[in-house]
Amino acid sequence: RKQKEAQGSKEGEEKKKEHDQKHSEMSVEGKESFDNQAGGHAGAFVKDEDRIMKQTNPREVKFYETHYQKYEHLHDFVPHFFGVKVVDEKDWIILQDLTAPFHRPCVLDVKMGNTSAGDNASEEKVASMRAKDEASTTVALGYRFTGFRVWQQETQSLVVKDKTFTKKLREEDMKETFSLFFGNGKVIRKKVVKAFLDLLLKFKTYFEGENKLKFISSSLLFVYEGDEEAEDDTPHVQLKMIDFANVFVLPDGKKDDGYLMGLNNVIKILQEISK
């Protein structure tokens, strides 16, 4: 018995040591606030040079320490991950700042999928989330707007739309709202739209084939340069998946149909406004 207790104690110490190696202590005092956030909880991000720190929960940490490590093809579709820090016993993940290369970053957060309830949610939780999803475009379209920021070159002004605006959006508003995000105050920047379409088709191919995971309440983050004078003929754009607190392994042969539904509908509407 004593031998088993000693063995268990040793295993516990090894696990603690492994955790401490992965999760180093630090402080966020004095770090610059992240001003390019389009969605999510206010104050959850701070800048860390050319990276950002996001306060998160153990479920998202688990995603990065398991699925992110296992499925390397995911790395093409998510921001670079640089590890986990612990601040006041809270987990912060260190990520690539997708907005860093841009002078006037235009940022859109689109929550993907046709449900916000995870596979492990209680019946009460499923019913509650279902009501919220039906009140937005989640059920009808497989995506909903969370928020966006767009620099309009024509008027030299920043347009910011948060959840007080986006939660009122309905299916019939999507074309106009996407047009607002991709507009410079005068016209729709069709080259930018087409650049995102090319990336979205790559996402679709991935989700139809290699993807082994189901993403609940995960977002697609669109980023492009709002300062047209800082660009050449080829638009610089970024499109990545973010927010991984609810990720589940798919059964063999199954696809993430809710995410695919959203992708197909976003592709369809961008094809319309790019004509």
Side-chain angles (χ1 to χ4, degrees):
R1 181 178 175 180
K2 289 183 178 179
Q3 186 177 1
K4 286 184 178 179
E5 288 177 351
Q7 183 178 355
S9 176
K10 185 177 180 181
E11 288 176 354
E13 289 175 1
E14 289 176 350
K15 286 182 179 179
K16 183 180 184 301
K17 183 178 179 182
E18 181 182 355
H19 179 274
D20 291 344
Q21 287 173 342
K22 290 181 178 178
H23 301 65
S24 55
E25 293 280 351
M26 65 165 297
S27 171
V28 295
E29 285 187 16
K31 290 194 177 294
E32 183 183 347
S33 62
F34 181 66
D35 297 328
N36 293 323
Q37 184 177 348
H41 300 292
F45 297 86
V46 295
K47 284 187 66 64
D48 186 27
E49 296 180 356
D50 61 342
R51 302 173 181 179
I52 58 170
M53 295 173 54
K54 175 189 176 185
Q55 186 179 329
T56 189
N57 55 49
R59 297 192 308 275
E60 187 162 30
V61 172
K62 182 180 177 182
F63 165 81
Y64 281 105
E65 293 185 343
T66 57
H67 302 314
Y68 181 86
Q69 306 299 333
K70 181 177 180 180
Y71 302 110
E72 290 189 4
H73 45 258
L74 261 178
H75 296 189
D76 292 334
F77 302 98
V78 304
H80 297 311
F81 169 66
F82 300 103
V84 183
K85 305 287 186 182
V86 177
V87 183
D88 296 329
E89 299 182 350
K90 295 178 180 178
D91 289 326
W92 293 71
I93 50 176
I94 315 301
L95 302 171
Q96 171 191 10
D97 178 5
L98 298 174
T99 69
F102 298 91
H103 179 229
R104 297 286 189 182
C106 300
V107 186
L108 166 65
D109 184 313
V110 178
K111 196 68 69 178
M112 301 297 292
N114 60 356
T115 179
S116 300
D119 290 357
N120 55 359
S122 64
E123 290 185 11
E124 183 180 357
K125 182 72 170 179
V126 170
S128 172
M129 299 307 293
R130 180 74 180 182
K132 291 180 180 179
D133 290 342
E134 288 177 343
S136 70
T137 58
T138 292
V139 173
L141 297 176
Y143 71 88
R144 71 176 185 271
F145 277 68
T146 299
F148 62 90
R149 307 164 59 87
V150 56
W151 174 257
Q152 295 192 330
Q153 187 79 5
E154 189 69 18
T155 57
Q156 292 290 295
S157 61
L158 180 68
V159 176
V160 179
K161 300 293 184 182
D162 60 16
K163 62 183 179 181
T164 57
F165 171 83
T166 59
K167 70 181 182 181
K168 299 174 185 176
L169 297 174
R170 298 295 176 261
E171 185 173 354
E172 60 270 21
D173 302 317
M174 291 298 101
K175 185 173 182 179
E176 181 181 350
T177 310
F178 268 115
S179 297
L180 174 60
F181 175 67
F182 289 115
N184 64 4
K186 186 176 182 180
V187 297
I188 296 172
R189 296 181 60 188
K190 294 186 178 181
K191 285 186 177 180
V192 171
V193 179
K194 290 175 181 177
F196 278 113
L197 273 171
D198 290 342
L199 294 176
L200 284 164
L201 291 172
K202 292 179 181 179
F203 273 77
K204 180 180 177 181
T205 299
Y206 168 69
F207 271 85
E208 287 178 336
E210 291 181 277
N211 179 49
K212 306 295 182 185
L213 301 171
K214 181 178 181 180
F215 297 90
I216 302 295
S217 290
S218 180
S219 289
L220 272 181
L221 196 72
F222 296 70
V223 188
Y224 73 91
E225 179 59 74
D227 183 357
E228 295 173 77
E229 295 177 0
E231 291 230 293
D232 52 27
D233 290 338
T234 304
H236 178 203
V237 305
Q238 290 268 24
L239 181 66
K240 299 291 182 181
M241 298 170 66
I242 59 171
D243 300 336
F244 304 111
N246 293 286
V247 180
F248 306 89
V249 177
L250 287 165
D252 288 343
K254 294 291 185 179
K255 292 180 171 59
D256 190 346
D257 293 324
Y259 206 108
L260 268 169
M261 173 188 177
L263 277 175
N264 285 325
N265 281 323
V266 171
I267 288 169
K268 180 180 177 181
I269 206 160
L270 293 198
Q271 286 174 333
E272 290 178 11
I273 67 174
S274 68
K275 293 178 180 177

